[in-house]
Amino acid sequence: MSDLDSTITALADPVRRQVVELLAKRSMRSGELAEAVGATPSALSKHLRVLRQRGVVEEFHPEFDARVRIYTLRSAPMIELRTWLEAAERGWSEQLSSFAEFVEGEDA
C-alpha cells in the first residue's frame, strides 16, 4: 500500500478525520481527544492506533510522566495528500475548460 493510500485509508473514518482536524490546531493528550470527539478512551485508542500505523499522527510521552500520551499531526502525509488533490483538481479544471471551449465552438 502506498503512503497516499495509507493516508486515505486512515482518513476514511469520520472520527479519525475529526481527530486530524483537532490535531491540526494543536497537539493533544489522548484523553482530551476522546472527550473532544465524544468517544470512550478505548474506542479512541483504536482510532489513534490506525492513525499512528498509517503515519498520520505520532505519539510522544512527556518527560514528567511516561503514562501520558500526547499526539501530534505529521505534516508529510497531509502534504502528499494535498499535492495529489491539487493535481487531480488541475486535471478536472483542464477537462472542464476544454469542454467549455468545445461547447462554445459548437455554438459559433
Side-chain angles (χ1 to χ4, degrees), residues 23-94:
L23 292 177
K25 297 174 185 167
R26 67 178 180 91
S27 298
M28 297 178 79
R29 294 187 325 266
S30 56
E32 289 178 292
L33 287 166
E35 186 176 322
V37 300
T40 64
S42 62
L44 186 68
S45 177
K46 293 175 185 176
H47 289 295
L48 289 170
R49 185 177 329 111
V50 169
L51 290 168
R52 253 191 349 265
Q53 290 172 342
R54 303 291 186 194
V56 176
V57 301
E58 55 191 359
E59 165 191 305
F60 64 93
H61 304 277
E63 290 181 20
F64 64 84
D65 191 346
R67 296 171 298 169
V68 174
R69 293 180 179 165
I70 299 175
Y71 290 87
T72 187
L73 189 62
R74 293 188 62 242
S75 61
M78 297 299 119
I79 291 169
E80 184 179 15
L81 179 59
R82 184 181 322 123
T83 300
W84 180 80
L85 288 170
E86 287 170 352
E89 184 179 16
R90 273 192 308 277
W92 296 330
S93 294
E94 289 170 7

